[in-house]
Amino acid sequence: MRIAGLQHAGTPGDVDANLAVLDEAAGRAVADGCGLLITPEMFLTGYNVGPLVQELAREPLTERVADVAARHGVALAVGLPLPAATGVNNSVVLVDGRGHHLARYDKTHLFGDLDRALFVPGSEPVVTVDLEGVRIAFLICYDVEFPETVRAAALAGADLVVVPTAQMEPFAFVAEHLIRVRAWENQVHVAYVNHVGAEGDLRYVGRSSICAPSGDVLAVGGPADAALLVADVDPEVVRVARRENPYLDDLRPEFR
């Protein structure tokens, strides 16, 4: 499956403007032959928007994403806030090209005062779904910085780990180095899709990437400009990588 990652600043607090960007990017992704388009973390509403996120989470956001997906015939993995039993989750939803809801993942590892002030953590460490023969798992931003999370996704059979992020200064080294390591040590594709620009006091580092199980970077964005990253994800590449580099088979679980 060919996938696309939308590196973009978005418009904080303006769902309509961000849906328009998503709509345009979906058209470009389809023209490039992609079956899946991925956005940054909290792209639909903005991330650093304060208490406004509580209000926006009550809107029919998933339904509006589904309309875009169905109109273009492409699956969308979109970062957005969703209601939780005791607050709001920082989430990613996956809808297919017919607009059907396939999966929801809620960020499990909240980062810093901003995350903890706005969101409650998710309780499902691994969510997987099959799309066009590719098994996809999801993480959000800080989640991927814990090796256990990507390992759990790989052990659940993921071919691709989708990671919407809002990675900011001074943590560019995560985008530049750690994502390749996560792909290599688990023999899995990783799509790490970030914001650019600024929201309030946050300055985003861009540098989105799609990495292969070999750790090779298949597509990468710059530090400041919007971009649509495109790369192919092949489950057979994952199977070959795991035969040649059998970390998962050789792992001794009693030492975890």
Side-chain angles (χ1 to χ4, degrees), residues 2-34:
R2 180 162 291 176
I3 68 171
L6 174 63
Q7 176 171 287
H8 202 280
T11 303
D14 192 333
V15 173
D16 289 339
N18 295 327
L19 280 166
V21 173
L22 181 66
D23 188 83
E24 190 271 339
R28 291 167 57 199
V30 169
D32 284 337
C34 297

Side-chain angles (χ1 to χ4, degrees), residues 49-59 81 83 87-88 117-119:
V49 296
L52 178 61
V53 74
Q54 314 288 332
E55 176 184 336
L56 295 177
R58 293 192 291 269
E59 297 188 9
V88 172
L118 298 178
F119 306 111

Side-chain angles (χ1 to χ4, degrees), residues 123-159:
S123 58
E124 291 291 331
V126 180
V127 174
T128 63
V129 65
D130 292 334
L131 179 70
E132 294 187 18
V134 176
R135 177 159 291 183
I136 301 172
F138 306 88
L139 297 171
I140 297 174
C141 198
Y142 193 42
D143 290 333
V144 80
E145 297 178 35
F146 295 83
E148 297 85 355
T149 61
V150 188
R151 179 58 49 84
L155 290 172
D159 302 304

